[in-house]
Amino acid sequence: GSIGDIGIIEIAAGGNLDVRRAVSANPFGPNDGDISIVVEGGSLTILGTGDGVEGRSVELTAEDDLLVNEEVVGLFGDVDLTAGSDVGDLLDITADVTAGGNMSLTGAGDPISIGAVTLTAGLDVDVNDDVVLDGSATVISEDGDVTFADDVSDDGTGNSLTVEALFGTVDFVDTIGVDVNPVNGLTVTALDIELGGNVESDDAVTLTGDVLLDTTAVTITTSDDNVTINGDTSGDQDFTITAGT
């Protein structure tokens, strides 16, 4: 239920926390509330049996796993989701996440797992570690940039990635579909698209926007599917496309 204008929950070391009911900071009251849930020494699960977490801004942090199984909304501020940094620690997102401001996803243990969800931010989206898709995901910045700091791959079940930043840049700092399995289709729409490594896809690749070859030679490979680039391509790096007709 409602926990007032500002909701802060801190769990000391040695325990896990399951959020089983809706957590709201009364965002339509006279004082918009921030929500911070920090689990020190355990895991945090936003359960699918609840109604999610909603506040002006939302910070969810776990020393171990952070499992987002119900919607998270930061109506006017930032959303920061952070899992632990040890091997085996997992940030797993299986529900939509919305931020009125910036969105930051950090999972330095195992790769961040993103399901068939939509992640939307009013400003920037920063995905700070490698990603494995276990559903076809959409990532949207309404008025900022989207940055993937590491590889984005599929889990092998045939999932696609759609990214949109109509007024900004989509920056793939590293590869796409290389570390684990090729993505099953890639669609990117932005003013500028930066590619920092090779792209492997088992379906079509469509890039709408000016493409910059960032720091290294880039090869886009599909399994006999089309590659479409609607925009200029620039950079001092070699650019190779291996695709169908």
Side-chain angles (χ1 to χ4, degrees), residues 32-158:
D32 303 325
D34 301 315
I35 293 179
S36 176
I37 304 178
V38 179
V39 177
E40 299 175 352
S43 297
L44 170 60
T45 302
I46 310 301
L47 288 173
T49 54
D51 291 318
V53 176
E54 183 175 292
R56 187 187 75 88
S57 67
V58 177
E59 175 195 19
L60 303 178
T61 301
E63 176 113 3
D64 297 331
D65 297 339
L66 172 55
L67 310 178
V68 180
N69 299 332
E70 190 58 60
E71 186 175 16
V72 173
V73 179
L75 282 173
F76 312 114
D78 298 343
V79 171
D80 296 309
L81 306 180
T82 304
S85 58
D86 294 334
V87 174
D89 292 342
L90 176 65
L91 172 56
D92 184 20
I93 303 173
T94 59
D96 293 347
V97 180
T98 303
N102 300 303
M103 182 185 301
S104 176
L105 309 180
T106 303
D110 283 4
I112 298 171
S113 178
I114 300 179
V117 300
T118 299
L119 310 178
T120 305
L123 299 175
D124 295 340
V125 179
D126 291 310
V127 183
N128 297 313
D129 300 283
D130 48 347
V131 171
V132 173
L133 302 173
D134 65 2
S136 293
T138 299
V139 181
I140 299 171
S141 167
E142 295 176 335
D143 196 18
D145 304 327
V146 178
T147 301
F148 293 91
D150 211 329
D151 178 82
V152 182
S153 286
D154 181 38
D155 69 353
T157 60

